[in-house]
Amino acid sequence: KLNPNGAIAWSRCFWDTGRTELYSIETTSDGGCIIAGQYTAAAGGTEGSFKDFHNGGNFDCMIIKMNPNGVVNWMTPIIGFESDFASSIVKIKGGYAVTGYTTSSNRDFPVSNKGDNDIFIYTIDEYGSKKNIYSLGGSASDNACGICSDGNDSVYICGSTNSGDGYFAECSAKGNESVAVGFISRFALNAQ
């Protein structure tokens, strides 16, 4: 965190025995921030910042809420048996929405995987409790890169897809195994 003069107010690192990637940050109403990313543990197990959470060797998503002084308020993992990646987070009514992509269809991803990577939108409340998950995808690789909120009950997501079916069947441009197309989509969070 930088102060108004550009000097460092505080700095914090997160790590595990494998790789930790934090890709998205959003300010929170208390003056703190919320961060989305993923981590993996090496063969020896989880020992670092995420030692209290399971990791089976694949990437798992992690949401971190910090207060204005750089203290962690809470951490919420989003875990499947396959690799799960969180790419963006946004404030919504009653909490936050995080998007990314996964090959999982178990644990925190109870919806069936349509093929390769599927996009997910996970909603969590102000305290990190998981609320709803939405899955968007086709039979090929689908990846969400960004999310923003309309301030009501919808979010906009953008990314790329190799699918020309499933959620992307009505797109004017079709992806395929060798061609990815970019997309932007408005999604109503109360729709299933």
Side-chain angles (χ1 to χ4, degrees):
K1 178 179 178 178
L2 302 180
N3 68 24
N5 297 324
I8 296 173
W10 53 261
S11 183
R12 186 78 193 261
C13 292
F14 294 90
W15 65 279
D16 213 296
T17 57
R19 187 173 173 151
T20 300
E21 303 167 338
L22 302 175
Y23 285 132
S24 183
I25 189 167
E26 175 85 11
T27 58
T28 56
S29 58
D30 65 356
C33 62
I34 189 160
I35 306 156
Q38 55 272 339
Y39 73 100
T40 187
T46 306
E47 296 177 5
S49 305
F50 312 119
K51 66 183 178 204
D52 296 332
F53 303 102
H54 169 80
N55 182 274
N58 293 317
F59 277 100
D60 289 326
C61 300
M62 183 59 70
I63 312 303
I64 304 165
K65 167 64 177 78
M66 299 180 71
N67 75 16
N69 300 317
V71 176
V72 174
N73 289 117
W74 49 260
M75 291 192 279
T76 297
I78 305 174
I79 298 172
F81 288 148
E82 304 297 329
S83 286
D84 318 305
F85 300 90
S87 55
S88 192
I89 193 164
V90 68
K91 175 87 174 110
I92 59 172
K93 273 199 280 185
Y96 307 94
V98 61
T99 192
Y101 52 95
T102 183
T103 54
S104 297
S105 58
N106 45 39
R107 294 192 67 162
D108 290 332
F109 298 95
V111 292
S112 64
N113 187 284
K114 297 166 187 62
D116 206 344
N117 293 333
D118 280 352
I119 295 165
F120 68 85
I121 302 169
Y122 230 115
T123 59
I124 59 176
D125 69 18
E126 295 275 351
Y127 307 101
S129 296
K130 298 168 199 150
K131 292 170 48 177
N132 294 310
I133 183 170
Y134 307 92
S135 179
L136 318 166
S139 59
S141 183
D142 312 302
N143 302 296
C145 299
I147 189 169
C148 67
S149 172
D150 71 353
N152 293 308
D153 293 324
S154 293
V155 293
Y156 295 88
I157 58 170
C158 64
S160 65
T161 181
N162 291 88
S163 296
D165 58 356
Y167 183 79
F168 300 100
E170 302 302 317
C171 288
S172 57
K174 303 288 186 200
N176 59 50
E177 196 171 298
S178 59
V179 174
V181 297
F183 75 90
I184 183 167
S185 181
R186 182 177 183 198
F187 187 80
L189 292 175
N190 55 3
Q192 280 283 25

